[in-house]
Amino acid sequence: WETLQGYSETRQSRGMVAYPTTVEECRNVIEFAKKNSLTICPRAGGFSYGDMILNEDQIVINLSRMDRVVEWDSVTGLVMVEPGVCFSEIFRMALVHSWTLSSCPGGMGVTIGGAISNNVHGKDSWKEGNFGDQVTQMKLLTASGEIVEICRDRDQNLFEAVVGGIGLLGIIVEATIQLKKVPSPFVEVTSVVTRNIEESLEQIEIYNKDWDFSVAWSDAFVKGRGLGRGFVTAARWVDEKIPLAPKRLAESLKVPTLIFGILPAKPTWTICRPFFNPIGIRMANFANFTLANIKEVFSNSKNSRLLFTDYNFMHNKIPDLKQVYRPFGFLEFQPLIPKKCGGEAVREVFEIAHRFECQSLLCGVKAHREDDYMLSYSGDSYSIGIDIQVRGRDMERVGKFAKTLFKFIEDCGGKTFLAKDEMLSRNLFQKMYPKYGEFLEVKRQLDPDELFASDMYRRLMQAENNSSQNFAKVS
């Protein structure tokens, strides 16, 4: 028995946790669950934010120890891995040969199983699609104990259900991924200062014509015409053959213990915690924006070269940042607003946050493209990252903010990212994800007794007559 949390650390859930290392041990967990009328929730790196990876009074199967690279071909770029393999391990093998994973979020500890189950996205998703687009085959251990081999070309309907299927159809025990060949392991990085959110969106579209990656940092606290001001950063692969020493790559993939190589993380963040609030962040944003303007005026060259892993996993260079949100954690919202709604709809997201005093402490804006996965967070859209600390918050006001925000997203024909959600209503989920019925039909075929479940599943999808079912608690 363990007490678990999602990445945002806002809620706790106690349950039995299994740590299998083989497929056979996974089967043993399935048999145990069936025998004792329990459900199973897959989990690995623990980077899903809310209740998706929690399973109150039930079983959580932690797949982080199934972390074997089964096969790697440095000529073709095909890699076959178990679900607990982290992004960092893929890059350790592949980047020295100029192969890369596409659609990577900012954490190199994210596992392949979690990336597939959430169909994650990155700064290049507008171009490369979400993570599932590079997966070619999977092996899924189902509730019956059988392994189903799923091929993209042969099993399209099942493939589109498992990718983004948030662990509800079975256990992904193996995945084959086609990496992307790049000219070098390095990227050229540039940035431009923007005066408001509309200008940021314009710059994103300009960069997306010729560059490979783009993201905007936006100041959510400024009011009026300057709302969402900040800067857009873009990157593209350096078109030169530049050798990369394994030692240099290993250093890039190492998670530091000191902030800026000097300050110990935990005590530093504890000291900073009282200042990590709307007032403190408003001042920090002003300083950050001012510094960006100064750099743009006086810099001789706007572009710099970075090893890709230094560019994409910049958050990993700041150890234990979550300490500043403790002891209550933080809430994350990530609306996806269709481009056809225009910049005024994106601005309205910021305005809603202002009205309820729920401005995002850290705010990133990215572009996305459409795909066909049943529960996929995708669309010809912009996403806006909104994170607010729980400490010192009026949670009733936060609840009203969430309700207003979700309704606006739904009115726009958008959606919110399930991996970061813990407040969406069942009704709005069904409107945002209209293919959920197709997904549940696949689940009925693969998992008729609902062996695979989670707190999120019970909140958003499980039939009302089943959601309150009391399961036996096994000590």
Side-chain angles (χ1 to χ4, degrees):
W1 286 90
E2 293 183 24
T3 299
L4 300 175
Q5 292 180 314
Y7 183 74
S8 59
E9 299 185 353
T10 50
R11 61 176 70 195
Q12 295 183 339
S13 182
R14 188 160 173 79
M16 287 177 285
V17 185
Y19 293 88
T21 58
T22 65
V23 172
E24 195 54 41
E25 289 178 359
C26 291
R27 284 196 179 99
N28 292 341
V29 175
I30 289 174
E31 290 305 312
F32 177 86
K34 289 179 177 179
K35 182 180 178 181
N36 293 281
S37 300
L38 295 162
T39 62
I40 299 172
C41 172
R43 174 186 174 119
F47 288 94
S48 297
Y49 283 53
D51 54 358
M52 181 189 293
I53 50 176
L54 304 179
N55 203 17
E56 182 69 32
D57 291 335
Q58 306 294 311
I59 296 172
V60 171
I61 186 164
N62 189 314
L63 302 165
S64 59
R65 295 179 187 175
M66 292 183 66
D67 58 355
R68 189 169 60 98
V69 176
V70 179
E71 192 175 319
W72 158 238
D73 190 328
S74 61
V75 176
T76 65
L78 273 175
V79 61
M80 187 185 300
V81 297
E82 292 182 329
V85 171
C86 297
F87 282 10
S88 58
E89 185 57 31
I90 301 286
F91 280 105
R92 194 184 312 278
M93 294 186 312
L95 200 57
V96 291
H97 301 287
S98 294
W99 290 100
T100 187
L101 278 171
S102 299
S103 308
C104 294
M108 62 187 176
V110 173
T111 61
I112 296 299
I116 295 172
S117 294
N118 288 297
N119 199 19
V120 297
H121 54 271
K123 303 176 186 72
D124 58 348
S125 287
W126 57 271
K127 180 178 183 179
E128 303 295 339
N130 284 359
F131 190 86
D133 283 355
Q134 61 199 313
V135 180
T136 62
Q137 295 184 72
M138 294 176 283
K139 290 182 179 178
L140 185 74
L141 180 62
T142 64
S144 66
E146 298 176 354
I147 289 180
V148 177
E149 296 191 14
I150 310 169
C151 177
R152 171 183 292 279
D153 298 328
R154 185 189 64 224
D155 312 295
Q156 184 179 357
N157 193 60
L158 183 53
F159 200 95
E160 290 174 358
V162 175
V163 172
I166 57 179
L168 295 175
L169 301 179
I171 301 168
I172 299 170
V173 294
E174 191 174 282
T176 303
I177 300 168
Q178 176 62 66
L179 303 188
K180 179 185 176 182
K181 189 68 173 177
V182 290
S184 80
F186 294 85
V187 290
E188 175 188 7
V189 183
T190 190
S191 65
V192 60
V193 175
T194 58
R195 292 170 296 181
N196 51 47
I197 186 57
E198 289 86 356
E199 194 171 302
S200 291
L201 299 181
E202 290 173 9
Q203 288 298 325
I204 285 175
E205 293 303 320
I206 290 170
Y207 278 125
N208 287 357
K209 293 177 182 177
D210 301 304
W211 294 66
D212 298 306
F213 305 90
S214 65
V215 63
W217 167 79
S218 298
D219 187 343
F221 288 91
V222 179
K223 294 182 178 181
R225 292 185 61 186
L227 179 62
R229 71 182 184 184
F231 52 84
V232 174
T233 301
R236 61 187 170 194
W237 296 102
V238 174
D239 195 8
E240 296 178 32
K241 291 192 178 297
I242 305 174
L244 172 61
K247 184 177 180 181
R248 168 74 179 85
L249 178 58
E251 189 64 29
S252 172
L253 295 171
K254 184 179 178 182
V255 179
T257 57
L258 299 176
I259 302 171
F260 306 124
I262 303 171
L263 303 171
K266 188 171 182 178
T268 300
W269 294 132
T270 302
I271 293 169
C272 291
R273 196 174 292 160
F275 306 99
F276 203 82
N277 56 41
I279 295 175
I281 295 299
R282 187 182 291 114
M283 295 172 62
N285 283 353
F286 176 78
N288 196 24
F289 183 71
T290 302
L291 180 62
N293 273 284
I294 293 171
K295 287 173 66 176
E296 186 170 77
V297 171
F298 291 101
S299 176
N300 293 325
S301 173
K302 292 184 180 180
N303 300 355
S304 59
R305 284 187 176 183
L306 289 175
L307 183 60
F308 175 71
T309 45
D310 286 336
Y311 164 73
N312 196 71
F313 302 123
M314 215 165 279
H315 288 174
N316 286 103
K317 306 301 177 184
I318 310 173
D320 297 331
L321 180 58
K322 286 197 300 179
Q323 288 279 349
V324 296
Y325 294 107
R326 289 173 180 161
F328 303 112
F330 65 102
L331 290 166
E332 181 91 7
F333 304 87
Q334 193 170 21
L336 191 71
I337 304 297
K339 291 181 182 179
K340 65 183 180 183
C341 295
E344 59 268 24
V346 177
R347 171 176 281 269
E348 179 61 18
V349 170
F350 286 83
E351 296 284 8
I352 291 171
H354 267 282
R355 289 201 292 272
F356 291 93
E357 298 182 351
C358 288
Q359 300 95 325
S360 180
L361 299 184
L362 305 171
C363 183
V365 180
K366 295 191 289 286
H368 298 253
R369 80 177 191 194
E370 185 68 71
D371 65 33
D372 293 322
Y373 305 106
M374 293 179 187
L375 297 183
S376 187
Y377 179 78
S378 71
D380 186 22
S381 307
Y382 298 112
S383 67
I384 306 101
I386 303 172
D387 71 276
I388 59 176
Q389 92 283 9
V390 174
R391 184 181 66 253
R393 288 281 180 179
D394 178 347
M395 293 309 294
E396 184 176 349
R397 179 186 288 267
V398 173
K400 291 178 181 177
F401 161 70
K403 187 175 181 179
T404 304
L405 176 65
F406 291 150
K407 185 63 174 66
F408 177 74
I409 297 168
E410 191 266 323
D411 288 343
C412 288
K415 55 186 68 173
T416 190
F417 193 23
L418 296 180
K420 296 182 177 180
D421 171 62
E422 55 187 279
M423 300 182 74
L424 188 64
S425 71
R426 180 181 296 242
N427 178 53
L428 285 177
F429 161 75
Q430 293 175 358
K431 292 179 179 179
M432 290 180 186
Y433 289 86
K435 288 187 175 182
Y436 85 96
E438 295 177 44
F439 175 81
L440 289 179
E441 181 56 37
V442 175
K443 182 169 176 63
R444 279 190 285 271
Q445 295 171 15
L446 282 179
D447 185 19
D449 297 320
E450 298 180 290
L451 175 70
F452 293 101
S454 65
D455 290 354
M456 173 176 277
Y457 176 62
R458 287 183 280 274
R459 173 167 60 93
L460 296 180
M461 281 182 272
Q462 190 173 45
E464 296 292 345
N465 60 340
N466 292 332
S467 60
S468 61
Q469 183 178 356
N470 292 317
F471 293 96
K473 191 171 182 178
V474 178
S475 62

